[in-house]
Amino acid sequence: MTQKKKPNFILIMTDQHRADHLGCYGHPVLRTPHIDSLAEQGALFDEFYVASPVCMPNRASLMTGRMPSVHGVRANGIPLSMQQVTFVELLREAGYATGLVGKSHLQNFVGAPVVLEQSAPPENYHMPPENLSQAVREHLTAECYRNEEPDFWSKENPRVQTPFYGFDHVDLVTGHGDGVGGDFKQWLLEREPEAASLLGPDNQLPHDYVCPQAVRTALPEALYPTSYIAERAEAFIKHQAAEQPFFLMVSFPDPHHPFNPPGRYWDMYRPEDMQVPEAFENEDWVPPPHVEALYKVRDSGNALLNGMNTIGVSKQEALEARALTCGMISMIDDAVGRLLKALDDAGERENTVILFTSDHGDHLGDHRLLLKGAEQYRDILRVPFIWSDPANKKKGLRTHALGSTIDIPSTILDRAEIVPFAGMQGRSLLPIAQGEKHKERDTVFIQYDHQRTHPGLGGPPRVHTIFDGRWRLSVFHGVEWGELYDLQADPGEFTNEWNNPEHLEVRCRLMEKLARAEIEHIDRVPLPTSLA
């Protein structure tokens, strides 16, 4: 009897990508036919949320199925410890070929110094040595955690040592836009030895956009990182199709700032065709303290416009950012089309489960903000999630069931019929994707932590959020106020009901749910080794 072949998996991941910025979510202008086709053949999750709305913590949660407070990558700047087991390692051990093409960001790739503020010790106090300065001994400064840093890639013939968190094949892209490195940089220089003259803001083409970090790259489409990722992913599929079942993570650094789609994608969409964010037309809205503080910083001229954190923006800046983001997404959609063709050519389309999701969102002008940060609006929390499985009998399913990034590993392992490791905190969404179950979660739990001080919070922000499908409650460390929004009555999240006595019962109920979520996600590994 012929043994049934195990399914292949391709996880397509984008970066700063809101759920409502896909054609399949009804965007008024943007069209993504290849991504839409995945939704038409699979299940589209309308209410899918990140574990943390920032790169490294959420990517570590994707790999481990665990919350940031548990896997240790609480904020950007903390590499994922190799003591943490990943679901990719389980696939690899079960006989899968494993590949990563594109962005990893499980380790630091900027090389910049720490900005976390720490209080000075009292005078005359003895300082412990570095190996005793933290509550947990760690080795995160070891060479094995520097695979993504610029210094590593400045060496002669650098290659990521594999297996890399379970990946045997790695084609790495570090950074964003055209300011990227990793394996991509060598590929680029082989094709264009003078590429340095095409990269960065100093070499950009003329344009009249005023949006911060709008850069019209001189790099042609064929040499842009999205094209590199598509090419390397095609090669992986072609090579593996006749060998063994595979898991391939195709991770695009776009859409992300700098906003610099290349070539025809730059002006594929016009700012004037974008939907004006409601905050620019809502005269009754009173911004919460941490948002108002960002406006004041921008108005003072002290905002870090080339940074990574949230900034206040004008309407024109917001519309330009939206148009350029749509251009980046369209280029990704074309790359997805190339992957689908590669699967067809290899005869593996009907044996391959394709997932599509994103790292986190971008405010993109909502609440007059840009980028992402401690402001836990749904713009940055809710991301696309598509499960496209040829074996599913029910096609084109659209569900409002809640899902979380930490559920992705459990769902893949369930489909591959592999038992998850102890300590994985996500839940399999497979029964929902197959149309056999209405929902799995009553709430999603979201954690945010960051090094840099937030001007409206008096220090580095720490925010925990619970969302039950209607109400979003966020609690901020170090301040007396909080946030409570009714997304059914107020989908734009303009009316904070935290102090509304009419919703005191809701606030208490959500606080209890948050407390229970905190308990649920306390680590239970390592498991006991004896009764006592």
Side-chain angles (χ1 to χ4, degrees):
M1 182 175 179
T2 304
Q3 187 176 6
K4 186 174 106 176
K5 186 178 178 182
K6 296 178 181 179
N8 306 313
F9 296 91
I10 296 181
L11 171 57
I12 302 171
M13 191 167 191
T14 57
D15 209 299
Q16 211 152 285
H17 193 160
R18 295 161 48 135
D20 57 357
H21 276 72
L22 278 184
C24 55
Y25 283 88
H27 189 279
V29 177
L30 174 64
R31 292 295 173 262
T32 52
H34 300 296
I35 299 171
D36 287 359
S37 72
L38 297 178
E40 292 164 1
Q41 295 300 311
L44 174 65
F45 284 71
D46 269 322
E47 297 292 337
F48 195 84
Y49 291 81
V50 296
S52 181
V54 69
C55 294
M56 292 180 71
N58 198 58
R59 286 174 178 269
S61 289
L62 170 70
M63 293 293 288
T64 62
R66 289 153 62 80
M67 292 299 292
S69 59
V70 177
H71 58 58
V73 187
R74 299 172 304 282
N76 274 358
I78 307 172
L80 178 63
S81 171
M82 292 183 181
Q83 298 303 308
Q84 295 283 329
V85 179
T86 72
F87 82 95
V88 181
E89 291 179 273
L90 296 190
L91 289 168
R92 179 175 179 267
E93 189 277 334
Y96 276 78
T98 55
L100 165 65
V101 176
K103 180 181 175 182
S104 156
H105 214 179
L106 298 173
Q107 299 180 0
N108 300 325
F109 63 37
V110 175
V114 172
V115 297
L116 180 65
E117 296 178 0
Q118 298 186 14
S119 58
E123 189 176 357
N124 298 324
Y125 270 53
H126 175 73
M127 286 291 292
E130 186 174 347
N131 67 317
L132 299 178
S133 63
Q134 299 187 59
V136 179
R137 293 182 177 89
E138 50 82 10
H139 63 294
L140 297 179
T141 57
E143 284 299 312
C144 62
Y145 294 105
R146 305 190 66 183
N147 288 278
E148 304 190 40
E149 292 184 5
D151 286 349
F152 176 87
W153 290 98
S154 66
K155 300 175 182 177
E156 186 176 356
N157 299 320
R159 288 296 299 167
V160 173
Q161 184 176 353
T162 55
F164 182 69
Y165 296 103
F167 293 109
D168 277 322
H169 176 94
V170 177
D171 290 311
L172 199 63
V173 176
T174 62
H176 297 101
D178 66 7
V180 295
D183 292 303
F184 163 77
K185 197 64 171 286
Q186 184 61 39
W187 174 90
L188 174 62
L189 292 174
E190 289 173 356
R191 285 154 182 77
E192 177 48 76
E194 303 300 320
S197 65
L198 303 173
L199 302 175
D202 293 341
N203 296 310
Q204 66 178 306
L205 302 175
H207 66 86
D208 59 359
Y209 280 39
V210 297
C211 176
Q213 301 193 49
V215 177
R216 188 167 192 175
T217 179
L219 199 65
E221 297 167 24
L223 298 181
Y224 193 74
T226 298
S227 296
Y228 165 77
I229 292 169
E231 177 185 303
R232 299 310 303 150
E234 287 173 322
F236 181 92
I237 293 169
K238 181 178 180 180
H239 175 72
Q240 291 297 336
E243 301 294 330
Q244 62 194 103
F246 64 82
F247 171 79
L248 174 62
M249 182 171 175
V250 183
S251 183
F252 297 99
D254 280 355
H256 198 278
H257 54 99
F259 302 99
N260 65 345
R264 63 192 172 97
Y265 297 102
W266 172 269
D267 50 12
M268 182 174 283
Y269 300 94
R270 302 187 307 166
E272 55 266 36
D273 292 335
M274 295 293 112
Q275 189 170 12
V276 176
E278 187 179 351
F280 292 103
E281 301 178 331
N282 187 338
E283 297 179 358
D284 298 327
W285 178 50
V286 178
H290 61 319
V291 174
E292 182 67 35
L294 294 172
Y295 299 161
K296 291 179 179 178
V297 172
R298 180 70 194 272
D299 291 342
S300 72
N302 294 320
L304 187 60
L305 300 183
N306 289 321
M308 294 284 181
N309 291 35
T310 310
I311 56 175
V313 291
S314 69
K315 180 170 72 173
Q316 182 61 29
E317 291 170 339
L319 296 177
E320 290 174 1
R322 288 183 170 213
L324 295 176
T325 294
C326 286
M328 289 186 277
I329 294 172
S330 281
M331 187 173 192
I332 290 170
D333 186 70
D334 288 340
V336 171
R338 292 175 59 176
L339 301 186
L340 298 181
K341 184 178 185 303
L343 282 174
D344 286 335
D345 291 345
E348 289 293 322
R349 182 76 175 272
E350 293 305 310
N351 192 49
T352 302
V353 179
I354 303 174
L355 300 80
F356 184 93
T357 193
S358 302
D359 203 347
H360 50 80
D362 185 313
H363 293 302
L364 285 178
D366 280 332
H367 304 94
R368 304 205 302 270
L369 301 172
L370 189 66
L371 312 184
K372 77 282 185 187
E375 320 74 33
Q376 303 295 280
Y377 294 116
R378 191 157 66 155
D379 333 324
I380 65 173
L381 303 182
R382 178 171 167 253
V383 295
F385 181 66
I386 298 170
W387 175 272
S388 187
D389 185 348
N392 274 18
K393 295 179 181 179
K394 194 166 186 177
K395 307 293 184 183
L397 174 69
R398 190 161 188 169
T399 176
H400 292 287
L402 295 174
S404 168
T405 298
I406 63 172
D407 297 331
I408 292 176
S410 299
T411 308
I412 292 174
L413 294 175
D414 192 5
R415 180 66 174 84
E417 300 180 342
I418 298 172
V419 176
F421 49 74
M424 188 173 285
Q425 297 175 324
R427 309 177 188 185
S428 174
L429 301 176
L430 189 60
I432 300 171
Q434 294 176 336
E436 299 169 359
K437 200 170 185 179
H438 175 63
K439 69 175 184 177
E440 183 66 38
R441 292 182 164 277
D442 293 323
T443 59
V444 285
F445 180 37
I446 299 148
Q447 301 175 338
Y448 179 81
D449 202 322
H450 203 270
Q451 290 187 46
R452 193 179 294 278
T453 293
H454 192 289
L457 298 173
R462 304 182 75 180
V463 193
H464 283 195
T465 292
I466 200 86
F467 177 63
D468 69 356
R470 174 177 176 178
W471 293 91
R472 191 262 289 180
L473 178 140
S474 296
V475 178
F476 298 75
H477 175 68
V479 298
E480 295 298 321
W481 51 270
E483 290 188 306
L484 178 67
Y485 292 95
D486 180 357
L487 274 79
Q488 180 175 302
D490 176 29
E493 297 176 281
F494 289 106
T495 304
N496 186 2
E497 306 286 5
W498 180 267
N499 289 321
N500 187 341
E502 295 183 7
H503 297 304
L504 180 60
E505 183 276 332
V506 175
R507 176 175 157 184
C508 291
R509 175 170 55 83
L510 267 291
M511 287 294 287
E512 179 180 343
K513 285 183 176 291
L514 179 60
R516 293 186 181 279
E518 301 281 1
I519 294 172
E520 178 186 351
H521 294 92
I522 290 175
D523 207 350
R524 301 200 77 180
V525 294
L527 297 175
T529 59
S530 175
L531 179 62

